[in-house]
Amino acid sequence: MVEARVAALDRVLEVTVLLGRDMATSLAAEGLTVARTTLLWRLRSAGPSTQRALADALGVSARNVTGLVDGLAAAGLVTREPHPTDRRATLVTPTARAERLLEEMAAGQAQLAEQLFGGLTPDRLDGLVSALDEVLDRLRALVPGGAAAGETP
């Protein structure tokens, strides 16, 4: 039984490596990094946010978010706008260019999902998702800060 579990872990690790390689290559073609893209996805789901809220949501320092936002602003993907009720704060807002890019990424994600899982029956897909949910719950409990990872798309 231990061998089967190690074999399962080997496959999960291979999937992780392949998906990571594909993602890094795709993002690099757009001049993005994983960290900058994660921030953009957060803005897509939460809407305009303060840098403090972004840092909290991403589990990183405010200084780290400042660097990410600076890079995204320089690339024309976000703007800093005055906060409507807190004059000390600014809102990070995705630009129309970022919105288009995120829509393209979402379409690419849907296409990849179809390529990977389109051949599975609904029952097999449900079983896979259920098993992965169990594994993710266990992994989040084992990894420091893992619970926060499940909150970010």
Side-chain angles (χ1 to χ4, degrees), residues 61-120:
S61 70
R63 184 176 183 170
N64 191 319
V65 166
T66 298
L68 294 173
V69 171
D70 287 348
L72 290 168
L77 295 170
V78 299
T79 60
R80 289 181 172 105
E81 307 291 333
H83 193 285
T85 59
D86 182 353
R87 63 185 182 159
R88 296 170 298 156
T90 59
L91 290 176
V92 178
T93 304
T95 63
R97 179 172 172 239
E99 296 288 353
R100 284 190 304 274
L101 182 60
L102 289 166
E103 287 301 319
E104 290 171 12
M105 288 179 182
Q109 185 181 30
Q111 182 181 16
L112 181 58
E114 182 61 31
Q115 291 170 330
L116 295 177
F117 307 117
L120 297 178

Side-chain angles (χ1 to χ4, degrees), residues 9-91:
L9 179 59
D10 285 346
R11 285 171 177 78
V12 169
L13 293 173
E14 184 176 359
V15 167
T16 302
V17 168
L18 290 172
L19 286 175
R21 186 178 302 152
D22 180 62
M23 182 171 53
T25 301
S26 297
L27 294 178
E30 297 294 338
L32 290 170
T33 64
V34 172
R36 287 181 182 177
T37 305
T38 301
L39 190 146
L40 287 175
W41 276 106
R42 180 65 189 177
L43 288 174
R44 184 175 194 250
S45 65
S49 303
T50 64
Q51 289 188 189
R52 174 81 261 155
L54 289 168
D56 291 345
L58 300 177
V60 299
S61 70
R63 184 176 183 170
N64 191 319
V65 166
T66 298
L68 294 173
V69 171
D70 287 348
L72 290 168
L77 295 170
V78 299
T79 60
R80 289 181 172 105
E81 307 291 333
H83 193 285
T85 59
D86 182 353
R87 63 185 182 159
R88 296 170 298 156
T90 59
L91 290 176

